[in-house]
Amino acid sequence: MILAQFLHHPSRVLAGCCLLALSACSSSELNHQLAVSREAVDQAQMAGAEENAPAEFGVAADKLTRANAAANGHHKHDAMRLAQQAQVDANLARARSESTEARIAAAELTKTNQTLREAINRANQN
């Protein structure tokens, strides 16, 4: 009976269809964001962020875990927000890790250059 009344109002049917379509888009968008965030965390890990930027990496991994839990609990808005934050935090962790590795490489290069200069100076003195 209620269904018959509902179907007699095309605007209600259209509104219901739109709501279902938006819900599906929202789920698809959330799934995409979760995948992008997971990829960002994986890339940070491969860049050595666990060792070089453990605080930032830990925050990113924690937010991704919480985003997945929120998505599983049907809290899409919270899940989306946490997934976006996880992505940003993972990118920060990766950047900090790469910066640390670049500083280490620069220090090693400086040391190597100094050793070469000393060798050249010794050779020129002889």
Side-chain angles (χ1 to χ4, degrees):
M1 172 116 166
I2 294 174
L3 182 60
Q5 289 175 344
F6 182 76
L7 293 176
H8 285 318
H9 297 285
S11 61
R12 289 183 183 172
V13 172
L14 181 60
C17 289
C18 288
L19 184 61
L20 285 174
L22 286 174
S23 175
C25 290
S26 174
S27 293
S28 174
E29 186 178 341
L30 175 58
N31 289 337
H32 175 73
Q33 182 62 55
L34 287 168
V36 168
S37 299
R38 174 85 240 143
E39 179 67 22
V41 169
D42 289 345
Q43 287 179 358
Q45 185 176 27
M46 287 187 288
E50 281 182 295
E51 297 83 28
N52 297 325
E56 293 85 354
F57 182 79
V59 168
D62 178 61
K63 285 183 181 175
L64 181 60
T65 299
R66 290 171 41 211
N68 283 318
N72 291 335
H74 304 291
H75 301 286
K76 292 179 183 178
H77 179 72
D78 291 337
M80 179 65 81
R81 179 180 48 80
L82 287 165
Q84 290 168 342
Q85 290 175 0
Q87 180 184 1
V88 170
D89 291 334
N91 289 339
L92 174 62
R94 188 182 82 214
R96 289 243 167 107
S97 178
E98 290 171 352
S99 175
T100 298
E101 289 181 0
R103 277 195 302 272
I104 291 169
E108 289 174 0
L109 186 57
T110 299
K111 185 177 177 181
T112 300
N113 286 343
Q114 183 62 33
T115 302
L116 288 172
R117 278 191 202 104
E118 291 170 359
I120 289 170
N121 287 339
R122 278 192 306 271
N124 286 338
Q125 289 175 352
N126 293 335

